[in-house]
Amino acid sequence: MTIGVVVFPGSNCDRDVHWALEGCLGISTRFLWHETTDLSGLDAVVLPGGFSYGDYLRCGAIARFAPIFKSLVEFVDRGGRVLGICNGFQVLTELGLLPGALTRNRDLSFICENVALRVTSSRSPWLQARSCEEVLNLPIAHGEGRYQCSKDTLLKLQDDDSIALSYTTNPNGSIADIAGITNSSGNVLGLMPHPERACDPQIGGIDGRVILQALIG
Amino acid sequence: MGLKTLLKELFNWSSTSYKPRIEDYDVQQAIKDEGLTLDDYMEICRRLKRIPNRTELGMFGVMWSEHCCYRNSRNLLRDFPTKGPQILVGPGENAGVVDLGNGHRLAFKIESHNHPSAIEPFQGAATGVGGILRDIFTMGARPIAILNALRFGPLEDKKNIGLIKGVVEGIAHYGNCVGVPTVGGEVAFDSSYTGNPLVNAMALGLMETDSIVCSGATGIGFPVVYVGSTTGRDGMGGASFASAELTNTSLDDRPAVQVGDPFLEKGLIEACLEVFKTGDVVAAQDMGAAGLTCSCSEMASKGGLGIELDLDLVPAREEGMTPYEFLLSESQERMLFVVKPGKEEEIMNRFTRWGLRASVVGRVLKENVVRVIQNGSVAAEIPASVLAEDTPINDHELITEPPSYIREAWNWKETDLPISDLTGISPLNIKFKGKYLTWTDILLYLFDDPTIASKNWIYKQYDYQVQLNTVIPPGAADAAVIRLRPQDSNNSLSSINQGVAAVVDCPNRWCSLDPERGAMAAVLESSRNLSCVGAEPLAITNNLNFASPKNSTGYWQLAMACKGISTACQFINTPVTGGNVSLYNETRSESGDLIPIQPTPVIGMVGLVHDLNNICFPNWVNAGDLIYLLGVPLEKLPQLDNRISLGASSYLERIHGLQTGRPPELDLNLEVIVQTFIRKCIRKKVICSAHDLSDGGLAVAIGESCIGSGLGAEIHLNHCDVRIDRLLFGEGGARVIVSINPLNIKEFKQLLIDNQIPSEEIGFVTAEKELIIKHGNVKVVHTSIDKIKMNYLEAIPRRMV
C-alpha cells in the first residue's frame, strides 16, 4: 500500500502528512511533484496544506492548472480515494471535484487552534469507523477556511449526506458550520481541519488517525 | 572642516602618484544622504587613496552604518562571553550554532525590524521574519521555530492598535506561509513605544548539512552564483534608514521598506538545503541589510579574497537600474553563493525547479577587492577589507554616575505610598480618583494589564503547529518546547525523545530604571523560564533595542545593559552567540521633543530538554497538591530583603501610576541553585508544576497557575507587619512556585534539605475554582478563577475594537 502526497512549491504540510502516515501509522508514502502525471501504484492521494503557488490570487486558483491534476481527475473517476486537507480542500473546490468555495474567515484573520468537530455523516469510507454525532478534536490553521456555497448546493450536500464534519462552535463563519465534505460517491474528502496534526500523542492527540487510516481501508 | 580643506589635506597627505578625480556629485549632500560624517569621508579617501565615486560612497554608507558594523556598540559587545564547549559557531556568522548532543546542532539568532515596522507594520514585520529565517538556512539548517519579542504603545491609542494588528498579521503571513511554526514570544506595552514599536524576530533551525555552511569566500576563480528573487529598487538604503531616528517625515521613507514573498522563501529554503547537501556550495551569504554590497564584501573580507560582480548578469526586476541601485537594493529572498567550478548548472537547475532565479554573476578573485562591473566597465572597486574590516567606531563618553532621572527614581521609597491595610489601599493613580481598592480589585486590575494578560489574541493568528513538533505551544508554559525530529531522516515515534526549549524575554520597565539589573534579570528570567519547563539553558542571542547613543543617557543605558548581560551570561554559563543592535529607537513628537524608548535588551535563550517525558507546566495538576515557594523567601519584619521590591513593579505602575523606584537586587548564586533544583525535581518527577514569579509578583503567578488548570488555590501568608502589597505584588528574581503531590512530599523535602534550598510551604491546590490568599486569619484576596480568567483572556481583545 502506498499513498501519494502531492507537493507544490508552496506546500508546507507535505512532510507533516508523510510523518503522520509513515512515522505514526506505518503507511508508506510517495511524494508527487506537481509536475508529474504518474500516479501508478498508488492506493490513494493526499493534497496537503500550504500555499500551493503562493495563493496571491485566490487559494488554489493557480494550483488547479498543475500537470498532475489531469491524472488526479482520472484517478478519482476510477474510484481512487483523494483527501484534501486545508489548502488541499481549497484546490479540490477549484478543480470542481468538490462543490462550493472557501473564502476569508469571518473575522478576516488567520486562526490556529484546536476545535471540536461533530461527525455529521459516517456514510463515506473516511468516517465509517465513527458514528454520527461523535466528536473529534482536530487542529485548524487557516486564513481562508470559510466554506460557502449556494442554497441549492447546500441542499444537495445535505440530501447526498455529503457533509462529513461540522464545527461544534463555528470558528470561521462557514455556512451550516461545515468543516469537511465529500463528493457524492464518497471517495473524495476535503476538510479544513488537519487530521495529520492529530496522529501523535506527544503533540495533539490521535483523533486524526481515523481519517488517515481510511486512505488504505 | 570644510570640504576644500579636506581635499587639500588629501592632496598633501598622500604621496602616491594617484590623481584624484573631481567627482560629479555634491560631496556634502552625498555624505548626508548616506548617513556618514565628514570624518568618515576623509577616512574613506585616505583608505582608498582617492575620492570614492557616488556608487562607492553608497556602499560605504550602508557598510559603515550601525546596522552593519556596530559602530556605536562594538566596544561594548566585546566583553560578552562567547565561548563554551556547547558553542559550535559564535558571533560573526549569519547565526550562532550550539551542539545539542546526539548529532543535533541548533542554529539560532534574533534580529530586529523596528523602523520598517513603524512605518509599514505588515511588510516591516513580515520581512523581519523572512530575514531571520534566511540567516538560519544560509548556515545549512532547516528553520524549525520562530519566536518574537514585540513592544507597542498603549492600546488605548488607536494608532498603536493599527500597528499591532499590522505587525501580527505580517508575522503570521510570512511564518504561516513559509511553514515554520511561531511557537513563542513576549509582548509588552509602554507609552515610550508609541510611534516606535519594536519587532524582534528570533528563529531556530536544525542543521541538515554535515558541515556548517559559512560565509567566507574560498577558491580563486570559483563562480559566484546569485539565487532567489530578482533585484529591484525596493528597500533602497534600508540599513542607513534603520540607523537614524524616526521623525514625522519617516513615512516618506516607505520605499526603504521591502516587500516580502514567503512563497519564494519557501522554495529558497528547500532549494538551498538541497544544494548545500551536495557539498558543492563552498560559501553562502544571505542578502539582508545592504543587499549585494554587504554580501559581496562580507564574503570577500571573511575569506581574505576578492569578488568580481557583473551587474549585467544580476536578474533585475526593472530596467535601467544604476550600479548604485543594484548594490543598495534590499529586495528580499536573495542569496549569494560561491560554488565549485563545473557545478554551476546543476545548482542553478535545482533553483529553477523551485521557480527561482539563479545565475552566475561573478567570480572569486585572488586580490582582496570588491569589483563591480556594468556594461563592461568598472562601476566600483574597493578593497574588501577597507569596506568590511576595521570599520569606524564612534567614541562615546561613558558617564560615571547614573543620569539624574535614575538617581531621582532610586530615591523613591515604599513609604511614599499610601498606607496599606489588611483589605486594600487608596491608589495614587488619578484614574482611580482616590477610590479605595481591595487587594482582590487590584489583582483583577493587574490581570487586565495587557502586558500581564493572555496573548492568545496574538498567537492564535500564528500557525504554531506546522512541522508537527510543537510540544509546548505558545502561552502554555514558561517557555516553548519543540521536539527534535530531523525532517530529513526516517524516525518513528519511539525513537525521538529530546527537545529544544526557547524563550525571549526583557523586563523593559526594570531596564529603564536600572539597565544593568534589568538586563541581568532578562538573562536570569530567560533561564528560569527554561528551567521551569525542565530544559537546561545553553546559550543566548540578544537584540539590543536602544535610543540614540549620541545622547549620554542613551549610551550609558546601552553600556550598563551590556555589562549586565555579560555578568549574568558568564555566571549561568550561557554564552552569547550573536545578535543584533538596533539604535535610534526614538520618535520626535510634534512639539519637537525626542521620546526615547525604554532600553530593551531582548534575550533569546535556547535550552535542551533531555527527555520529553519530563517536561513541566505552570498549571496545577491535582486538588490537594501542596504549593511551595522556592528561592527568595517571603519577608518577615524587621528584616526587609533587597531582593524583593515594589520599585519598578507592575503594581506600582498600573495601580499607582508610577514608573519609579529601583528594581530589586539580583542574587546570582541563589538563582543558579534554585534553577538547578527545579530541573532536578522535574527530571525526578517530584513536582507537578513549576512557574516563575515575574510581573505582578506572587499573587499574579498563583493566579496564572489557577487560570491554566481550572483549579483553585488557598495560600497562607504568615501574619507579619510587612506591607501586604509588598507580599502580594513585590517583584524579584530567583523565585519559583511549585506544586507537589502529597505522596511525593517526603522525597521533595529531602531534596530541599540535600540541596539547601530556601523554601516555604505557602498553601495548597483546591478543587473549588477560587483563589484565596490569607494573611494570618484574614482573607486578603478572594476571587473566583472565572473572574480573573475573564480579565486575563479579554484584556487585549476588548481593547482591539
Side-chain angles (χ1 to χ4, degrees), chain B residues 506-539:
Chain B
C506 178
N508 45 278
R509 191 185 325 104
W510 287 20
C511 291
S512 81
L513 291 164
D514 188 333
E516 185 178 1
R517 282 189 187 173
M520 277 171 77
V523 175
L524 299 177
E525 185 169 340
S526 299
S527 74
R528 204 180 317 126
N529 287 333
L530 293 187
S531 298
C532 282
V533 299
E536 181 195 341
L538 290 175

Side-chain angles (χ1 to χ4, degrees), chain B residues 123-306:
Chain B
Q123 287 298 344
T127 51
V129 172
I132 195 65
L133 289 174
R134 278 194 298 288
D135 281 335
I136 299 301
F137 66 80
T138 306
M139 309 283 293
R142 176 177 292 279
I144 58 167
I146 302 167
L147 293 92
N148 47 65
L150 311 177
R151 293 291 181 281
F152 299 97
L155 294 175
E156 280 64 30
D157 184 341
K158 278 216 161 60
K159 190 178 155 203
N160 294 326
I161 294 180
L163 285 171
I164 189 173
K165 281 187 171 167
V167 164
V168 169
E169 209 181 320
I171 293 172
H173 166 68
Y174 210 102
N176 297 353
C177 190
V178 83
V180 181
T182 301
V183 298
E186 52 128 31
V187 189
F189 301 86
D190 181 80
S191 58
S192 69
Y193 302 108
T194 299
N196 194 136
L198 301 184
V199 177
N200 295 177
M202 172 172 164
L204 277 60
L206 210 48
M207 292 295 306
E208 286 194 357
T209 54
D210 294 335
S211 53
I212 296 164
V213 183
C214 288
S215 54
T218 54
I220 295 159
F222 279 24
V224 173
V225 175
Y226 169 113
V227 300
S229 184
T230 50
T231 297
R233 289 187 171 101
D234 54 332
M236 295 290 306
S240 325
F241 155 69
S243 303
E245 77 200 35
L246 288 167
T247 62
N248 285 338
T249 57
S250 291
L251 280 179
D252 302 336
D253 281 331
R254 256 175 298 195
V257 181
Q258 318 82 334
V259 176
D261 184 350
F263 169 64
L264 279 183
E265 180 112 331
K266 165 75 179 151
L268 201 55
I269 295 177
E270 301 299 342
C272 282
L273 292 177
E274 276 178 22
V275 300
F276 290 160
K277 282 177 201 165
T278 63
D280 293 333
V281 177
V282 297
Q285 172 78 43
D286 93 285
M287 284 184 237
L292 273 167
T293 300
C294 188
S295 50
C296 286
S297 44
E298 291 278 333
M299 291 180 93
S301 139
K302 280 185 189 151
L305 296 169

Side-chain angles (χ1 to χ4, degrees), chain A residues 9-12 15-16 19 33 51-54 56 109-114 139 196-197 200 202-203, chain B residues 142 176-177 261-263 266 270 353 460-468 470 483 485 487 493 612:
Chain A
S11 297
N12 62 28
R15 283 190 175 79
D16 292 359
W19 158 251
W33 188 240
F51 291 77
S52 46
Y53 288 97
Y56 291 112
S109 48
F110 193 95
I111 307 171
C112 178
E113 63 185 5
N114 293 330
E196 83 281 12
R197 295 186 182 192
D200 176 343
Q202 205 163 41
I203 55 146
Chain B
R142 176 177 292 279
N176 297 353
C177 190
D261 184 350
F263 169 64
K266 165 75 179 151
E270 301 299 342
R353 178 174 180 264
K460 198 172 118 171
Q461 299 185 47
Y462 304 145
D463 186 343
Y464 51 83
Q465 303 171 324
V466 67
Q467 295 194 9
L468 300 190
T470 310
R483 180 169 63 183
R485 180 174 64 85
Q487 303 227 345
L493 267 180
L612 286 172

Side-chain angles (χ1 to χ4, degrees), chain B residues 37-210:
Chain B
T37 64
L38 207 53
D39 282 346
D40 290 336
Y41 191 77
M42 271 168 72
E43 182 61 25
I44 292 166
C45 295
R46 283 198 192 102
R47 290 187 183 192
L48 290 177
K49 301 188 174 61
R50 62 177 168 85
I51 293 170
N53 66 31
R54 188 66 189 84
T55 301
E56 291 167 335
L57 191 66
M59 295 167 75
F60 279 102
V62 287
M63 289 302 290
W64 287 11
S65 67
E66 175 66 29
H67 193 87
C68 290
C69 83
Y70 305 108
R71 59 188 297 165
N72 292 292
S73 54
R74 212 175 335 142
N75 276 337
L76 303 173
L77 308 179
R78 284 203 182 112
D79 295 331
F80 286 158
T82 57
K83 293 194 167 59
Q86 71 273 42
I87 307 299
L88 299 175
V89 176
E93 282 293 339
N94 285 299
V97 182
V98 287
D99 189 355
L100 300 176
N102 291 335
H104 296 310
R105 292 157 300 157
L106 183 80
F108 71 108
K109 195 182 180 193
I110 195 164
E111 197 160 85
S112 66
H113 237 207
N114 302 336
H115 285 188
S117 304
I119 57 172
E120 219 295 48
F122 181 92
Q123 287 298 344
T127 51
V129 172
I132 195 65
L133 289 174
R134 278 194 298 288
D135 281 335
I136 299 301
F137 66 80
T138 306
M139 309 283 293
R142 176 177 292 279
I144 58 167
I146 302 167
L147 293 92
N148 47 65
L150 311 177
R151 293 291 181 281
F152 299 97
L155 294 175
E156 280 64 30
D157 184 341
K158 278 216 161 60
K159 190 178 155 203
N160 294 326
I161 294 180
L163 285 171
I164 189 173
K165 281 187 171 167
V167 164
V168 169
E169 209 181 320
I171 293 172
H173 166 68
Y174 210 102
N176 297 353
C177 190
V178 83
V180 181
T182 301
V183 298
E186 52 128 31
V187 189
F189 301 86
D190 181 80
S191 58
S192 69
Y193 302 108
T194 299
N196 194 136
L198 301 184
V199 177
N200 295 177
M202 172 172 164
L204 277 60
L206 210 48
M207 292 295 306
E208 286 194 357
T209 54
D210 294 335

